[in-house]
Amino acid sequence: TSSVFPQLHLNKVMDLSTKQKRRIIENITSGITRITKFQTDEGGFSYWPGGSTPSAWGSNYAGHFLLEAKAAGYKVPKHLIDNWVNYQKRQAKRWRYSGEYYWEYNTQAYRLYVLAKAGHADFAAMNYMKSKSNLNLLSKWRLAAAYAIAGQVDVAREITTRLTTEIADYRELAYSYGS
């Protein structure tokens, strides 16, 4: 995913030759095909091809790429996105903050963002998350983006009114991969 996601937008930041454009199309198309090998029976995406356990962050990220690729005009198998959306919806509804790890908020906020982007905003899960008093800055911005995409711009503004755009560096090498 990381090797092809940026290629969706490369033409916006640099001039590309016809040969480069063709190569990017091939890369993205191959990337979409490869991602199918990561989808689990549950609909999420594993960290490794053929894996049986979905990665929460990896499922968010791979699904986000698929949505962007589809929006850019690439053919993305309908079942791939449908299975992913169903998985994400189940995960969003089940999610509860354990109180242990800050990254849990980041993962759920990203999940809610991509669900909204897919046209399946889960307002109950979004409202539950919004009610948390110790929500971190990065998660607040992602949650606000989910509300905005879902047409709730006033709620997004309410969340972001006094927020800074200065996100502190963090290093997390397992669950959100520090990305």
Side-chain angles (χ1 to χ4, degrees), residues 18-81:
T18 302
K19 183 178 178 181
Q20 289 171 317
K21 288 176 186 176
R22 257 189 259 122
R23 184 69 181 143
I24 287 170
I25 291 168
E26 291 170 10
N27 291 344
I28 293 169
T29 302
S30 293
I32 293 166
T33 300
R34 182 160 163 70
I35 284 175
T36 64
K37 297 174 184 167
F38 290 74
Q39 194 164 48
T40 68
D41 291 341
E42 294 176 63
F45 294 96
S46 64
Y47 191 73
W48 301 105
S52 59
T53 304
S55 159
W57 190 266
S59 293
N60 292 339
Y61 188 52
H64 188 184
F65 164 73
L66 293 172
L67 294 174
E68 293 287 334
K70 183 177 177 185
Y74 288 89
K75 186 176 190 298
V76 178
K78 183 177 177 347
H79 73 277
L80 193 64
I81 290 182

Side-chain angles (χ1 to χ4, degrees), residues 127-138:
N127 291 337
Y128 173 74
M129 186 170 204
K130 184 174 152 269
S131 74
K132 296 298 176 187
S133 60
N134 59 343
L135 196 59
N136 65 54
L137 183 62
L138 185 57

Side-chain angles (χ1 to χ4, degrees), residues 94-108:
R94 291 178 183 156
W95 183 86
R96 294 294 177 263
Y97 180 57
S98 75
E100 292 185 58
Y101 306 106
Y102 71 91
W103 54 260
E104 291 178 62
Y105 282 137
N106 295 342
T107 301
Q108 177 70 349

Side-chain angles (χ1 to χ4, degrees), residues 10 13 16 18 24 46 52 57 78 122 144 147 150 159 166 176:
L10 200 53
V13 295
L16 300 169
T18 302
I24 287 170
S46 64
S52 59
W57 190 266
K78 183 177 177 347
D122 184 333
Y147 276 107
I159 293 170
E166 299 294 320
S176 70

